[in-house]
DNA sequence: TCTTAAATGATAATGATTCTCATCTAATAT
DNA sequence: ATATTAGATGAGAATCATTATCATTTAAGA
């Protein structure tokens, strides 16, 4: 996966990618760091940020769009949207192919003036009625 | 508007609200500060942040969801979505009642498990083909 | 194995946002 | 109109996330 994108393979990068894929929540850099330190006590937070940037620019991960001040990352590639509770900052993935197609068709046909659409994301805000598992 | 929400009316708050409504882009706290300083050279950036927070908690303004590190604010109340170019960080409002209704109907009918929807927002990412006016 | 460009780690620097606290002021009661 | 007071302001310090610096180390190809 790393070499596919022309990134040098290092133990740190493998570990970081593993953690993001294993935690399939939407972790902050600090949360990623906490998990890495278990097996990798000396990894530097700077390295984590630089690696996350490298992954972002290659499209291996995405930043989650949110209103909060600390960045959160997402390793899921399939097209999906987010359920978001402003109160608790909890974010869950929402998969819905029917919704994707419907909105995609609509926007493609619409042809927005002065804009070429590449992608879209829906944030569905509200309240969760169950408990977190993380 | 301020008294409706139980906020004390001060010249600073009036000025801040005026600036947000006048600039109908999606300004950062710093940009708001720059504009305020023209008529209000002594206003403190701390006051601006505190006032923006007060406005947010009353629902007078909204934070824009984005991937960037600096918060941007939005004073528009009608339901709308955002056109966003990652490269230039430009954000434009996108109004589309047909889209609103279609997605709203779909999601209401769907009844997402363990979640009560309150609202949704669509970020349409891509590239602008014209020049900014700001 | 050698070479080298790139990655890492430690730490300093930056920039946005929040906090503190003494002073001031809007709103209400007098 | 004046006094009272809870809440707002301004200036600056403090915090937190993120980025930059730079000496050292390492992956990858020759």
């Amino acid at each position: 996966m790393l070499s596919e994108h022309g990134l040098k393979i290092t133990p740190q990068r493998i570990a970081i990618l593993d953690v993001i894929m294993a935690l399939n929540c939407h972790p902050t850099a600090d949360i990623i760091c906490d998990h890495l330190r278990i097996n990798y006590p000396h990894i530097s937070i700077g390295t984590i940020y630089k690696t996350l940037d490298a992954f972002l620019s290659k499209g291996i991960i995405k930043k989650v769009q949110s209103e909060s001040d600390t960045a959160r990352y997402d390793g899921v590639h399939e097209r999906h949207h987010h359920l978001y509770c402003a109160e608790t900052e909890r974010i869950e993935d929402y998969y819905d192919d029917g919704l994707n197609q419907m909105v995609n068709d609509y926007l493609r046909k619409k042809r927005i003036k002065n804009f070429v659409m590449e992608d879209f994301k829906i944030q569905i805000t509200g309240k969760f009625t169950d408990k977190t598992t993380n």
Side-chain angles (χ1 to χ4, degrees), chain A:
Chain A
M1 175 137 212
L2 294 171
S3 51
E4 268 173 40
H5 288 94
L7 291 172
K8 219 179 246 189
I9 295 164
T10 70
Q12 289 90 337
R13 285 178 172 175
I14 293 169
I16 292 169
L17 200 48
D18 281 350
V19 166
I20 294 169
M21 298 305 173
L23 295 171
N24 74 326
C25 60
H26 306 83
T28 63
D30 261 335
I31 290 171
I32 294 168
C33 190
D34 289 347
H35 285 262
L36 284 166
R37 289 262 163 87
I38 298 167
N39 296 312
Y40 224 114
H42 288 293
I43 198 161
S44 160
I45 184 76
T47 300
I48 295 172
Y49 276 107
K50 267 176 287 190
T51 303
L52 290 171
D53 273 351
F55 290 177
L56 282 172
S57 67
K58 300 296 182 184
I60 297 171
I61 62 172
K62 292 253 162 75
K63 257 193 193 177
V64 177
Q65 303 206 114
S66 82
E67 293 164 14
S68 91
D69 43 344
T70 57
R72 295 174 67 167
Y73 301 87
D74 190 339
V76 175
H77 284 133
E78 299 117 275
R79 198 198 217 132
H80 66 283
H81 306 288
H82 287 136
L83 305 175
Y84 176 67
C85 173
E87 214 171 277
T88 61
E89 304 236 295
R90 182 172 164 197
I91 300 171
E92 295 286 341
D93 289 335
Y94 176 64
Y95 295 89
D96 188 332
D97 286 335
L99 178 62
N100 293 343
Q101 272 220 288
M102 183 183 73
V103 175
N104 193 58
D105 287 353
Y106 182 93
L107 288 172
R108 293 283 169 214
K109 272 182 203 133
K110 192 83 179 190
R111 299 188 138 274
I112 300 166
K113 206 181 150 202
N114 297 327
F115 192 78
V116 180
M117 174 171 86
E118 287 167 1
D119 196 9
F120 63 87
K121 276 192 201 323
I122 307 178
Q123 269 77 47
I124 304 169
T125 53
K127 292 209 180 351
F128 291 96
T129 57
D130 64 339
K131 301 279 165 232
T132 325
T133 49
N134 302 349

